[in-house]
Amino acid sequence: MLHTLGYDSLDALTNDNVPKNIQFKRNLNIGEEKGEFDALSDLKSMAKKNKLFKTYIGMGYYGTKVPAVIQRNLLENPGWYTPYTPYQAEIAQGRLESLLNFQTMVTDLTKMDIANASLLDEATAAGEAMYLCWQAKKRKKNTFFVSQDVHPQTIECVKSRAEPLGVKIVVGDHTKMEIEGDLNGVLIQYPNTYGDAFDFSDFSKKVHDGGSLLCVATDLMALTVLKAPGEFGADVALGSAQRFGVPMGYGGPHAAFFAVKDDYKRIMPGRLIGVSKDVNGERALRMALQTREQHIRRETATSNICTAQALLANMAAMYAVYHGPHGLKLIAERIHQNTCVLAEGLKKMGYTIKNKAYFDTITVDTGSISSDKVVQHLAKREVNVRKISGNSVGISLDETVGLPELTLLLEGFGEAAGKTAVKATDVLTSVPNVLSDSVKRTSEYLTHPTFNRYHSETEMMRYLKKLENRDLSLTNTMIPLGSCTMKLNAASEMYPVTWPEFGNMHPFVPREQAQGYIEMFTELNKFLKDITGFAAISLQPNSGSQGEYTGLRVIRAYLESKGQSHRDVCLIPESAHGTNPASAVLSGFKIVVVKTDKDGNVDMEDLKAKAEQNKENLACLMITYPSTFGVYEEGVKEMIDTIHSQGGQVYMDGANMNAQSGLCSPGEIGADVCHLNLHKTFCIPHGGGGPGMGPIGVAKHLAPFLPNHPVVDISQDFGGKSGIGPVSAAPFGSSSILPISYMYIKMMGSEGVKKATQVAILNANYMAHRLKEHYSIVFTKKNGLVAHEFILDFRPFKKIGVSVEDVAKRLIDYGFHAPTMAWPVHDTLMIEPTESEPLEMLDRLCDALISIRGEIKQIENGEMDPKDNPLANSPHTARAVISGEWNRKYSRELAAYPAPWTKDNKLWPFVGRIDSVYGDRNLICSCPPLTDYQ
């Protein structure tokens, strides 16, 4: 490959490519690479330092039983965790059906009109609810009320989100709340953080009579026995689906849910899966109402969310499918009964239960016994409960609790009181009914056949496999998406994710119980600081867009600390990622767009002019490096110096770190902050649309402002002494997937990390070299080189009726997922081969694109019909090819097997090209009736 490009070494190639003034003058200090078994052994020793107590802290996190059939066939299955976001819907029908199941599950249990396909976590979903209420009231009502009975991390996250927007958050007793004219919405918790399950019907009427919206943070398991929020008038229902078969994982990743009344569907954040039809009239699924997304609407988007939690939403949906409505209700009733037994046992020992009506959580008044004493006696039995105050503790039970666990709890409380413990079996027959008819659920849920037929492992395994077979993943072929870095998620990196020591830990346990996690975080931070050249790292942001938001918030806090809060202008190049402007708006900045020149670089003259024009109010510049167009811009240091000279800060989008690691670094280039997409460069899988992780690195002067957390004190080592409020529910974001990035770096070592970057650059340039005779490469350096990705131009073919979408769909027939389509330049494809792909696969994709160019040439020459040709009718399903009369003006074989390798191993698209316009005009976002399937 090097010979093809005219180089004799990787160093020579990258030396010609990366600007001399930013190249490393040092080697990485990660250490030598570790073999897979040695690295796993080291990490296992670290993991064993985590102490797995039985934990009943609650606050939105619960122990759960992950069904083995779901763990083995979904969570641990690369057919489910390596696909990309379902933008190419024809080869994502399996995931889309599962996400539709998730939406149906949420709308059924909440009794809301429409639900999205997941958000990041409960606390940030509450922040999104606040933003929705503000938007729904046309940004004219600037007060949002939060009940003091909401989970503390949620309250602080909402306050943190509201601050840069200028929305006033009032926290107080909702029963004494006054409806003000400026109030846009109210957030309550149901059941609340202390366990109380109130009837909110009258309160809902009060909120609506006052012209505000009602948002309800709730629990799906509780809603199997409690009245649904939609039944007492909620406008928004949100929460976490974690306890539906997703491990606690020290805080994540977990799928949040978000459901709204129909009135608010167009301002609802996140992805929405809808039912449409394909060109053959067959039922087909795809992402609906995508014009709400930040890549299209940019600064006017409904939110900045890019990565959701698709993999975890699929787990939660399958948990509901596997158990069905009757199974879920049995689990919920057992949890509730155990809670009642515990409450009665504690009362018999002299304790007071503060709750009148509850589901799974009780608050215990310990009277003259200090809560510390109770906590200590339970800790001796390796049991954690929640300390609420000096004389009260909270206990939240879950589906893992049985008689042995109840016995441990009662014994601990008994010992603390100096009394003989009451036996759980002695109170089983005297448990009172604590739920009044006004809060009990009477409506049906999960009545669709999908939730009522897959209750044996045999059927569930086959259902999961059926859906998996409708999706294209890295198990099938290369996914050459530019900017998305669909690299190998090695088995040894994935292996630790399901270790109990990482999976079964509550995020709010005492820190001494999480020493294995803390040690891993510390070492991972050290690695990331070395790679990025920054002074400090925050692991809290749990997606790339969250990282952008966090970095900008940190810049804002720094400027305010210097008395420069008037600095609110953010310069963003035309070529920036779509999430950049949306994140800037949510962070309280005004956007000024900077032009790009004909070569795809930031226009230096325009940048200098805009910086000068806005110098009094300039806050920051957002850039991506290498550029979004896949080029190492020579003037990057000049750009940064220009901004710094005017008193601004520089935010670097880390989406393209796969072209920097080991060769240069954001910190040493001069950036002040950069987020890292761990689901790109550092091997966390995309999961079909999430999870992601977006930690940020910052320069020394910004380190004091890194986010902190209200429940777990991280200010001394992982947060900032003057840190901003939390940006995620958990102190370390999606902690349980951080071992993936840790293992990747540990196994690669200093030389491996650098070589991975060099090979990614080699692969991209090799492909560009092969394809440049057939297609125009939109942007290159003056020496003809590209970075780790490149853009092919399809604009010349529009004149003969061939669109870039035709090419993308035709690639499916060739066995490939299309590269990034129509972004960052309309009518183009952006290709990123990554370092993971072998030469054979690179050549195969080149051969496919060259073959497609030949098909385009036949249309140009009149050898193929301009409307009835393989591109216009792609992708071709097996059903379309084999059934009925073939009346196309080309052969069945050309349609189905356009290249030799497709005869050996082909993933057939399950549906033909989808009619998205029909789907948006006839919006259906829950499982259709059985007749539709028939």
Side-chain angles (χ1 to χ4, degrees):
M1 293 166 70
L2 285 163
H3 177 73
T4 301
L5 296 171
Y7 290 93
D8 59 6
S9 69
L10 288 169
D11 286 340
L13 170 63
T14 50
N15 192 50
D16 256 10
N17 208 342
V18 182
K20 302 289 189 298
N21 65 341
I22 66 168
Q23 288 183 23
F24 264 162
K25 309 230 175 357
R26 64 178 176 92
N27 295 319
L28 289 177
N29 190 29
I30 294 166
E32 293 189 9
E33 73 274 6
K34 282 261 187 180
E36 293 184 354
F37 289 98
D38 288 342
L40 282 169
S41 177
D42 289 352
L43 187 58
K44 189 67 173 179
S45 297
M46 206 179 282
K48 285 180 178 177
K49 295 177 184 177
N50 289 333
K51 298 176 182 176
L52 287 183
F53 285 19
K54 295 182 183 299
T55 300
Y56 310 116
I57 293 172
M59 298 170 71
Y61 301 94
Y62 297 86
T64 187
K65 296 177 181 177
V66 185
V69 65
I70 294 175
Q71 177 168 323
R72 177 59 61 91
N73 294 290
L74 196 163
L75 176 60
E76 298 177 340
N77 181 355
W80 279 90
Y81 66 68
T82 66
Y84 182 58
T85 306
Y87 287 112
Q88 296 294 335
E90 294 84 356
I91 44 176
Q93 290 295 297
R95 251 170 308 134
L96 287 165
E97 180 171 322
S98 183
L99 292 172
L100 193 70
N101 291 343
F102 178 83
Q103 292 177 180
T104 304
M105 172 187 80
V106 171
T107 53
D108 270 18
L109 290 172
T110 62
K111 286 298 178 187
M112 302 301 290
D113 296 326
I114 192 167
N116 69 17
S118 80
L119 293 181
L120 298 171
D121 59 39
E122 181 170 333
T124 56
E128 298 289 348
M130 174 273 300
Y131 188 58
L132 180 144
C133 292
W134 189 50
Q135 285 186 298
K137 298 302 177 181
K138 310 298 183 188
R139 304 189 178 192
K140 293 178 180 176
K141 292 187 173 186
N142 293 318
T143 302
F144 186 77
F145 185 94
V146 181
S147 169
Q148 63 194 21
D149 297 339
V150 170
H151 294 318
Q153 71 273 17
T154 302
I155 294 174
E156 292 305 314
C157 205
V158 172
K159 287 163 69 173
S160 179
R161 287 294 177 111
E163 186 267 329
L165 300 174
V167 175
K168 179 184 176 184
I169 301 298
V170 177
V171 180
D173 183 346
H174 65 270
T175 64
K176 300 175 182 177
M177 180 189 73
E178 294 296 326
I179 300 290
E180 303 173 10
D182 193 43
L183 193 67
N184 60 53
V186 177
L187 175 66
I188 57 173
Q189 189 99 37
Y190 170 73
N192 71 23
T193 192
Y194 306 113
D196 299 301
F198 299 120
D199 179 1
F200 283 106
S201 300
D202 291 341
F203 180 76
S204 175
K205 184 176 184 304
K206 177 183 175 182
V207 170
H208 290 134
D209 287 348
S212 301
L213 303 186
L214 178 62
C215 305
V216 181
T218 189
D219 171 29
L220 296 178
M221 188 67 78
L223 295 184
T224 64
V225 295
L226 298 181
K227 182 189 290 185
E231 293 174 327
F232 58 73
D235 299 287
V236 179
L238 61 99
S240 172
Q242 177 266 315
R243 70 189 309 179
F244 272 32
V246 181
M248 288 185 286
Y250 203 48
H254 308 133
F257 62 87
F258 196 96
V260 298
K261 283 184 176 176
D262 188 70
D263 298 350
Y264 309 112
K265 63 177 179 256
R266 291 187 180 272
I267 56 172
M268 178 172 62
R271 296 177 187 138
L272 189 61
I273 310 306
V275 182
S276 187
K277 62 180 182 178
D278 72 0
V279 291
N280 305 309
E282 302 287 343
R283 171 185 173 273
L285 308 175
R286 92 286 180 242
M287 293 197 293
L289 300 182
Q290 288 189 60
T291 52
R292 301 172 305 121
E293 287 205 358
Q294 70 296 115
H295 290 92
I296 297 169
R297 295 192 65 190
R298 296 169 73 83
E299 66 271 17
T300 59
T302 54
S303 80
N304 73 327
I305 288 174
C306 185
T307 303
Q309 297 285 23
L311 185 69
L312 300 314
N314 287 330
M315 285 185 71
M318 291 305 172
Y319 180 91
V321 169
Y322 190 43
H323 289 297
H326 301 296
L328 290 178
K329 190 169 185 180
L330 282 172
I331 293 169
E333 288 175 341
R334 187 169 66 246
I335 293 169
H336 179 58
Q337 183 188 42
N338 284 337
T339 310
C340 292
V341 168
L342 177 63
E344 287 304 299
L346 292 174
K347 283 197 272 187
K348 286 183 180 294
M349 289 189 289
Y351 292 96
T352 301
I353 307 303
K354 291 187 175 182
N355 318 80
K356 291 181 180 178
Y358 52 83
F359 167 60
D360 62 6
T361 298
I362 53 174
T363 299
V364 184
D365 187 335
T366 59
S368 60
I369 306 163
S370 75
S371 57
D372 285 333
K373 185 176 180 182
V374 172
V375 169
Q376 288 165 11
H377 279 286
L378 288 167
K380 285 195 299 184
R381 289 168 168 76
E382 298 194 343
V383 174
N384 292 318
V385 294
R386 176 186 179 187
K387 179 184 173 182
I388 295 174
S389 67
N391 67 342
S392 62
V393 296
I395 310 169
S396 296
L397 301 190
D398 54 55
E399 67 168 319
T400 68
V401 173
L403 190 59
E405 289 75 24
L406 289 174
T407 300
L408 272 177
L409 282 162
L410 290 168
E411 285 177 350
F413 275 95
E415 186 177 62
K419 296 182 179 180
T420 302
V422 171
K423 292 183 179 179
T425 50
D426 291 344
V427 294
L428 270 174
T429 56
S430 58
V431 173
N433 180 5
V434 299
L435 294 177
S436 65
D437 290 342
S438 64
V439 297
K440 283 184 179 177
R441 182 167 194 140
T442 57
S443 56
E444 290 185 312
Y445 49 86
L446 304 184
T447 57
H448 192 274
T450 300
F451 296 98
N452 292 278
R453 63 181 294 187
Y454 302 111
H455 303 328
S456 74
E457 180 166 337
T458 305
E459 291 173 307
M460 189 66 191
M461 174 184 67
R462 288 173 181 160
Y463 182 54
L464 287 165
K465 194 66 180 177
K466 178 180 81 171
L467 298 190
E468 179 193 343
N469 288 342
R470 294 178 181 178
D471 281 11
L472 186 144
S473 70
L474 286 174
T475 65
N476 304 107
T477 186
M478 176 186 189
I479 304 178
L481 286 153
S483 186
C484 296
T485 316
M486 300 295 293
K487 63 204 290 181
L488 175 71
N489 316 116
S492 291
E493 295 157 12
M494 299 300 299
Y495 197 63
V497 170
T498 49
W499 285 350
E501 296 93 338
F502 287 134
N504 295 346
M505 180 161 280
H506 192 289
F508 302 153
V509 299
R511 183 160 168 156
E512 60 267 20
Q513 293 176 25
Q515 286 307 297
Y517 259 122
I518 299 302
E519 188 175 328
M520 184 190 68
F521 295 154
T522 302
E523 195 167 355
L524 180 59
N525 268 16
K526 175 173 162 282
F527 293 157
L528 295 177
K529 283 191 285 187
D530 188 48
I531 291 168
T532 61
F534 282 122
I537 301 284
S538 171
L539 297 171
Q540 193 174 117
N542 54 3
S543 77
S545 60
Q546 294 285 79
E548 291 176 16
Y549 173 75
T550 307
L552 291 170
R553 287 284 312 281
V554 165
I555 287 173
R556 194 169 180 270
Y558 165 74
L559 292 172
E560 287 174 352
S561 75
K562 293 174 67 68
Q564 297 179 4
S565 56
H566 62 280
R567 288 186 175 269
D568 61 356
V569 171
C570 179
L571 303 184
I572 302 182
E574 292 173 331
S575 60
H577 285 169
T579 49
N580 288 177
S583 295
V585 167
L586 289 177
S587 302
F589 291 117
K590 297 172 184 173
I591 294 167
V592 172
V593 178
V594 178
K595 295 176 184 175
T596 53
D597 64 24
K598 61 181 177 57
D599 297 318
N601 300 313
V602 172
D603 186 320
M604 284 301 303
E605 293 308 310
D606 192 51
L607 174 70
K608 289 177 180 178
K610 298 279 173 63
E612 175 65 28
Q613 289 164 18
N614 295 281
K615 63 182 178 182
E616 297 301 321
N617 297 312
L618 180 62
C620 60
L621 165 72
M622 295 187 83
I623 55 170
T624 301
Y625 200 77
S627 77
T628 307
F629 296 132
V631 176
Y632 289 100
E633 294 184 61
E634 294 288 342
V636 63
K637 286 185 81 72
E638 186 182 357
M639 276 185 249
I640 291 171
D641 290 343
T642 298
I643 301 304
H644 285 163
S645 69
Q646 302 290 11
Q649 299 287 292
V650 175
Y651 174 92
M652 186 175 284
D653 187 311
N656 293 342
M657 272 301 294
N658 217 45
Q660 282 199 54
S661 298
L663 301 179
C664 57
S665 74
E668 289 167 63
I669 291 172
D672 300 288
V673 56
C674 175
H675 87 266
L676 303 171
N677 295 98
L678 298 189
H679 52 289
K680 295 183 183 183
T681 307
F682 298 97
C683 287
I684 291 175
H686 279 68
M693 269 295 272
I696 62 167
V698 296
K700 186 177 180 180
H701 64 283
L702 295 182
F705 306 98
L706 289 176
N708 284 319
H709 196 272
V711 182
V712 179
D713 184 9
I714 60 171
S715 60
Q716 295 306 308
D717 43 8
F718 297 104
K721 292 179 181 177
S722 305
I724 63 172
V727 294
S728 298
F732 303 101
S734 295
S735 305
S736 68
I737 55 175
L738 289 173
I740 301 169
S741 297
Y742 175 86
M743 282 291 294
Y744 168 73
I745 298 171
K746 195 82 173 173
M747 291 190 296
M748 297 293 276
S750 298
E751 289 302 313
V753 168
K754 176 183 176 182
K755 188 173 182 181
T757 306
Q758 291 181 310
V759 173
I761 293 166
L762 171 66
N763 288 356
N765 279 280
Y766 172 80
M767 289 189 69
H769 180 83
R770 277 206 63 194
L771 292 170
K772 67 182 181 182
E773 293 178 20
H774 308 276
Y775 299 96
S776 171
I777 310 292
V778 180
F779 301 113
T780 66
K781 288 187 67 167
K782 290 179 181 176
N783 60 7
L785 293 176
V786 297
H788 64 309
E789 60 190 10
F790 60 97
I791 301 173
L792 296 183
D793 194 355
F794 292 85
R795 287 171 290 189
F797 310 129
K798 289 176 72 174
K799 62 188 177 191
I800 60 165
V802 175
S803 69
V804 70
E805 184 180 18
D806 292 334
V807 177
K809 301 308 180 188
R810 183 59 171 154
L811 275 168
I812 295 173
D813 290 333
Y814 281 83
F816 284 102
H817 193 292
T820 302
M821 185 177 75
W823 186 86
V825 181
H826 283 299
D827 303 308
T828 65
L829 291 176
M830 181 161 64
I831 298 173
E832 181 180 354
T834 83
E835 73 276 13
S836 302
E837 295 298 340
L839 178 59
E840 178 190 13
M841 188 59 75
L842 306 184
D843 279 332
R844 184 178 291 184
L845 179 56
C846 288
D847 291 343
L849 286 164
I850 292 167
S851 179
I852 288 171
R853 181 65 184 94
E855 293 174 357
I856 294 171
K857 198 167 205 58
Q858 287 181 282
I859 297 170
E860 287 174 321
N861 296 340
E863 299 170 39
M864 273 191 186
D865 189 282
K867 296 193 176 179
D868 187 9
N869 59 68
L871 284 108
N873 297 319
S874 61
H876 297 84
T877 64
R879 186 184 306 176
V881 170
I882 67 171
S883 62
E885 182 181 349
W886 183 256
N887 54 12
R888 299 291 184 198
K889 295 181 179 178
Y890 52 94
S891 70
R892 295 179 195 257
E893 184 168 11
L894 182 60
Y897 298 117
W901 61 83
T902 57
K903 296 178 181 178
D904 175 55
N905 182 24
K906 179 182 173 78
L907 179 89
W908 288 90
F910 187 67
V911 296
R913 199 175 303 192
I914 294 173
D915 187 341
S916 294
V917 174
Y918 173 88
D920 283 351
R921 287 178 179 168
N922 302 274
L923 194 62
I924 301 171
C925 297
S926 58
C927 294
L930 186 60
T931 51
D932 281 22
Y933 292 85
Q934 294 168 335

